[in-house]
Amino acid sequence: MRDWSPLMGLPLWVWLFVLPSLIGILCLIAGPRLERIFRPFWRLLDGVYLASGIVAGVFMITILVLIVIGMVARWTSVAVPGTTEFAGYAMAATSFFALSHALTRGAHIRVSIILNANDFLKRWLDVFAVFGAAVIATYFARYAVKANFFSEMLNDRTQGQDQIPEWLVALFKLDLAGVAEGSTTLVYTPVWIPQLAMSIGTVLLAIALWDTLYRMLVTGVNPIVSESVE
């Protein structure tokens, strides 16, 4: 972890792994006494997960719209470049934004055959599995964000037919002066823009897994409950 730069005087891995683990130990020791403190944060995070799922749904609809546009364009012999690439970006955004929402709804695959052996195994193997998943997801999120920064630093651009207005790039960079200019010049899409969905989605997944771990340790119940489908 030599490339994990310090943050506020501590290595980044301390903030991402050690501190959340210590909070987990505190939840294990204090148990239900922390529930009243955590309850407002849980409500807020539940809203964030739901919003992430809604965003994923919007991008799924975007895929459908882009596919229909591409079909109509072929039938009418009208050139609409970039629909395939933009549909791919929307598909990636759908997948990553849906991660945290799907986790909280029990949509992720969970092998529970060993957990059903007895209550002791069910509790502690579940805790161990969620903790391991949280560590892995945090590691993934860190490098997803790092890849985002590298793509922006190298000014990496797509090689397809997708082009976007220059003012839109300035908007993603929060360059208000560039947005005010309103340049409609088309430029190849910077790779870091579609990568934002990957970074945001993996960060939310890591947060959701640590949140799930804390809820399990505080309440003694896994909050992930699969939705029954009849």
Side-chain angles (χ1 to χ4, degrees):
M1 295 187 176
R2 294 179 180 177
D3 63 333
W4 293 61
S5 305
L7 178 66
M8 297 176 63
L10 292 174
L12 185 59
W13 58 267
V14 173
W15 293 100
L16 295 182
F17 300 108
V18 177
L19 183 60
S21 300
L22 292 176
I23 295 176
I25 294 174
L26 177 62
C27 291
L28 177 62
I29 295 173
R33 286 173 291 179
L34 292 177
E35 185 171 356
R36 181 178 298 179
I37 298 174
F38 279 114
R39 187 67 62 183
F41 295 101
W42 290 344
R43 285 196 294 266
L44 174 63
L45 288 173
D46 286 339
V48 172
Y49 306 146
L50 177 60
S52 182
I54 292 173
V55 172
V58 171
F59 276 110
M60 184 176 289
I61 296 173
T62 303
I63 297 171
L64 173 62
V65 172
L66 288 171
I67 291 174
V68 172
I69 291 175
M71 293 169 58
V72 173
R74 284 194 296 272
W75 295 338
T76 58
S77 299
V78 176
V80 183
T83 53
T84 302
E85 288 82 0
F86 288 126
Y89 301 153
M91 182 178 295
T94 299
S95 301
F96 284 102
F97 274 109
L99 287 175
S100 60
H101 180 67
L103 174 71
T104 58
R105 298 290 175 159
H108 289 196
I109 296 174
R110 301 177 74 238
V111 181
S112 58
I113 185 170
I114 300 179
L115 299 181
N116 296 329
N118 55 62
D119 291 339
F120 179 82
L121 285 178
K122 181 180 177 67
R123 173 172 170 76
W124 293 109
L125 282 181
D126 214 0
V127 168
F128 177 77
V130 174
F131 173 73
V135 170
I136 294 171
T138 303
Y139 200 80
F140 183 19
R142 189 267 176 173
Y143 279 100
V145 174
K146 186 176 181 179
N148 229 154
F149 278 107
F150 266 112
S151 296
E152 196 278 333
M153 182 179 65
L154 298 174
N155 195 27
D156 196 9
R157 302 277 175 152
T158 61
Q159 302 298 315
Q161 296 181 333
D162 54 307
Q163 292 181 318
I164 59 177
E166 198 168 11
W167 67 265
L168 189 57
V169 178
L171 178 62
F172 276 101
K173 286 186 174 181
L174 301 179
D175 180 8
L176 299 182
V179 175
E181 290 178 3
S183 175
T184 56
T185 303
L186 295 178
V187 296
Y188 285 103
T189 307
V191 174
W192 62 267
I193 291 181
Q195 280 181 337
L196 284 173
M198 178 180 68
S199 298
I200 296 172
T202 52
V203 168
L204 287 177
L205 176 62
I207 292 173
L209 283 165
W210 287 111
D211 178 31
T212 300
L213 177 65
Y214 300 154
R215 296 192 195 203
M216 290 174 60
L217 295 174
V218 170
T219 64
V221 178
N222 192 326
I224 300 175
V225 179
S226 300
E227 294 181 338
S228 59
V229 179
E230 298 182 358

